[in-house]
Amino acid sequence: MAKAPQSEQHRLLDLQALDSRLVKLGRRATALAADPEVSAAEAAHAETAAAQAAVEAELAVVRKDLAAQEQEVEGVQARIDKDQKRLDSGVGTSKDLVGLQHELGTLGKRKADLEDAELELMETLDEVTGRVEAATAAATETAAQLARLEAGRDAELAAIDAERAEVAGQRNSLAGTFEPTLLALYEKKLAQRGIGAARLFHGVSEGSGIALSPGDLAEIKAAAEDAVVFCPDSGCILVRSAEWGS
């Protein structure tokens, strides 16, 4: 049976407290990394950014169509100007001049139709532009919200990392003061069970939270003061003290 002075066994509780703190900090960091509030903000921003991209693509199509429509109107107007100039010159046969008048009428109607379509496209452009502005505002808002949450999370993670480094330093310094055999036994139990040492307090193992059976308790009480005893349920080192009723 392993042996160590009770004073050394008691100091294992200080080491365990530091190890427990490191575990809690690690769990907190893991929880923060998977923060559902941040995940929800990421999803919201992805949705608004996609909506913004979609309406911006729609706006680009409308602008392209409007530019093509304007170009076609300009082309018809150029033909009207050319024919009107020829007609005003009076050069040509009567048949030619009548033909020009007929073509000018046709071109005028064509231009009017094109301008009506152009007006509709301009109205569509205004409507889509309004939706782009709204979508951009929504995407900007969700981006800002995500940035705030990420900044808060990252700041908390940085604080946790700093505390973990400090606690780990304290833990390593304390661990270096133990007799190697006792430390190795503690480390083994810690790796196996997640807890290396705990108090035996009024017959209850704080490693398992379970009251020891009368037989186990009698056996542990009968062990030498410097004997290292173990929790029958959790397997960790049980630290005894008369002050704790064990």
Side-chain angles (χ1 to χ4, degrees), residues 46-61 128 131-132 135:
E47 182 178 350
T48 57
Q52 180 187 6
V55 74
E56 284 177 344
E58 183 180 350
L59 180 62
V61 171
V128 176
R131 287 196 282 121
V132 167

Side-chain angles (χ1 to χ4, degrees), residues 9 11 19 24 113 146 148-149 154 162 190 194 201 244:
Q9 294 187 43
R11 290 198 312 121
D19 282 328
K24 289 179 180 178
D113 290 342
L146 176 59
R148 284 193 295 270
L149 290 172
D154 292 346
L190 182 67
F201 190 75
W244 302 337

Side-chain angles (χ1 to χ4, degrees), residues 186-200:
Y186 167 85
E187 298 278 16
K188 180 180 179 181
K189 295 299 182 181
L190 182 67
Q192 289 176 339
R193 307 288 185 170
I195 183 169
R199 293 193 308 173
L200 176 59

Side-chain angles (χ1 to χ4, degrees), residues 51-66 120-136:
Q52 180 187 6
V55 74
E56 284 177 344
E58 183 180 350
L59 180 62
V61 171
V62 173
R63 282 175 172 166
K64 182 179 178 181
D65 290 345
L66 180 58
E120 289 181 4
L121 282 171
M122 292 175 68
E123 292 173 350
T124 300
L125 179 66
D126 289 341
E127 185 269 330
V128 176
T129 298
R131 287 196 282 121
V132 167
E133 292 173 354
T136 300

Side-chain angles (χ1 to χ4, degrees), residues 8 19-20 31 42 58 73 76 80 125 137 154 161 163 196 230 242:
E8 286 298 285
D19 282 328
S20 296
E42 288 174 340
E58 183 180 350
V73 169
V76 171
I80 289 174
L125 179 66
D154 292 346
D161 286 344
E163 186 174 355
F230 303 95

Side-chain angles (χ1 to χ4, degrees), residues 13 195 197-201 204-210 231 234 236 238:
L13 298 177
I195 183 169
R199 293 193 308 173
L200 176 59
F201 190 75
V204 176
S205 166
E206 292 187 346
S208 64
I210 298 174
C231 171
S234 70
C236 72
L238 278 181

Side-chain angles (χ1 to χ4, degrees), residues 22-176:
L22 287 172
V23 169
K24 289 179 180 178
L25 289 170
R27 288 174 179 168
R28 178 59 182 155
T30 299
L32 279 172
D35 188 342
E37 193 173 4
V38 174
S39 297
E42 288 174 340
H45 178 55
E47 182 178 350
T48 57
Q52 180 187 6
V55 74
E56 284 177 344
E58 183 180 350
L59 180 62
V61 171
V62 173
R63 282 175 172 166
K64 182 179 178 181
D65 290 345
L66 180 58
Q69 194 75 7
E70 289 172 342
Q71 187 174 9
E72 191 169 356
V73 169
E74 289 173 0
V76 171
Q77 183 61 54
R79 289 174 59 189
I80 289 174
D81 293 342
K82 181 180 178 181
D83 287 353
Q84 188 64 52
K85 184 177 181 180
R86 286 178 59 193
L87 183 63
D88 292 343
S89 71
V91 177
T93 66
S94 297
K95 183 178 180 181
D96 290 339
L97 295 177
V98 170
L100 283 172
Q101 288 179 328
H102 177 72
E103 184 174 351
L104 281 169
T106 300
L107 289 172
K109 184 177 183 307
R110 172 61 177 160
K111 181 186 175 186
D113 290 342
L114 289 173
E115 286 176 337
D116 287 344
E118 182 181 10
L119 182 59
E120 289 181 4
L121 282 171
M122 292 175 68
E123 292 173 350
T124 300
L125 179 66
D126 289 341
E127 185 269 330
V128 176
T129 298
R131 287 196 282 121
V132 167
E133 292 173 354
T136 300
T140 299
E141 182 179 351
T142 56
Q145 174 66 7
L146 176 59
R148 284 193 295 270
L149 290 172
E150 287 179 332
R153 178 201 61 192
D154 292 346
E156 193 168 350
L157 282 172
I160 289 174
D161 286 344
E163 186 174 355
R164 287 170 77 176
E166 181 180 354
V167 174
Q170 294 172 356
R171 193 264 183 209
N172 292 337
S173 295
L174 180 59

